[in-house]
Amino acid sequence: MPTTPTWLRQYGAAARILIVMTVLVGLIYPLAMTGIAQLLFPSQANGSLIRNDEGEVVGSALIGQNFDGDAWFHTRPSAAGDEGYDGGSSSASNLGPNSEELLQQIEDRKAQVADREGVDEDEVPADAVTASGSGLDPHISPDYAAIQTRRVAAARGMSVEEVEKLVAEHTVGRSLGFIGEPGVNVIDLNLALEDAH
């Protein structure tokens, strides 16, 4: 009785394992995880989308946007894409701390922010002049939000106290109480400003 060659048995076993693992890891596991995520964390599973009062998607709580004009809180600079905050081009500038180009960008940004906000350059926080590692961070520091309140209040005809209250309501603490720094989600804050005015 002829026997199957060893190499053929090994290839057959490998092919069966490949098929089983492809079905398990490539189909069943992703479908199960997607189902669990949709069931337990539907907002996060769908991109943490932010909607306005009409139900239109205006952004994601996880990805920053550029806001122009005095009536809005401004985000930190972004190196993601040509115009910044391009989710498909998440990246930093890759300029090191000894880069003359980076140092010049920071000095230029510091002067622009100080001029726009009417403060001394020494009062401009670091996140106002440096991009995040991903280039997509939607948060700014409470310090950066604080120096913007007078400008936003004046542009919207609101009191500084009203704007400061909105900033405080949209300031989140450290993750788990000790990781990172407090931050203000600029998209959420600007939507709250639009609703309040």
Side-chain angles (χ1 to χ4, degrees):
M1 178 169 155
T3 59
T4 306
T6 303
W7 66 268
L8 190 57
R9 285 197 316 269
Q10 289 175 341
Y11 280 131
R16 287 191 297 274
I17 289 173
L18 176 65
I19 292 168
V20 168
M21 293 307 289
T22 299
V23 171
L24 282 176
V25 181
L27 187 64
I28 295 173
Y29 178 78
L31 288 174
M33 290 300 103
T34 301
I36 291 169
Q38 288 291 338
L39 186 65
L40 299 178
F41 310 105
S43 175
Q44 293 89 337
N46 291 308
S48 300
L49 300 177
I50 298 173
R51 299 178 186 277
N52 62 16
D53 290 338
E54 289 81 40
E56 299 167 345
V57 175
V58 294
S60 167
L62 305 174
I63 299 177
Q65 294 180 22
N66 194 24
F67 290 92
D68 290 323
D70 288 341
W72 304 104
F73 279 88
H74 296 178
T75 53
R76 63 189 299 172
S78 171
D82 293 336
E83 297 180 26
Y85 294 105
D86 178 0
S89 299
S90 174
S91 67
S93 67
N94 291 331
L95 299 175
N98 294 329
S99 167
E100 291 296 326
E101 182 182 347
L102 177 62
L103 294 174
Q104 188 59 53
Q105 285 178 4
I106 289 173
E107 290 303 315
D108 293 346
R109 290 172 183 162
K110 188 183 286 189
Q112 290 171 358
V113 171
D115 183 54
R116 182 180 68 227
E117 306 304 343
V119 298
D120 290 334
E121 287 189 18
D122 294 342
E123 296 177 62
V124 176
D127 63 313
V129 297
T130 56
S132 67
S134 68
L136 303 176
D137 190 358
H139 294 87
I140 59 174
S141 67
D143 291 340
Y144 188 23
I147 68 170
Q148 297 185 63
T149 54
R150 287 192 308 271
R151 170 181 51 79
V152 172
R156 289 187 170 270
M158 299 171 70
S159 71
V160 171
E161 292 76 22
E162 289 176 299
V163 177
E164 287 175 340
K165 182 176 182 224
L166 286 172
V167 169
E169 290 171 359
H170 290 85
T171 300
V172 294
R174 294 181 163 107
S175 298
L176 302 176
F178 67 95
I179 299 173
E181 295 295 324
V184 180
N185 188 305
V186 177
I187 301 168
D188 285 339
L189 178 57
N190 282 336
L191 279 176
L193 277 170
E194 193 67 9
D195 290 342
H197 188 255

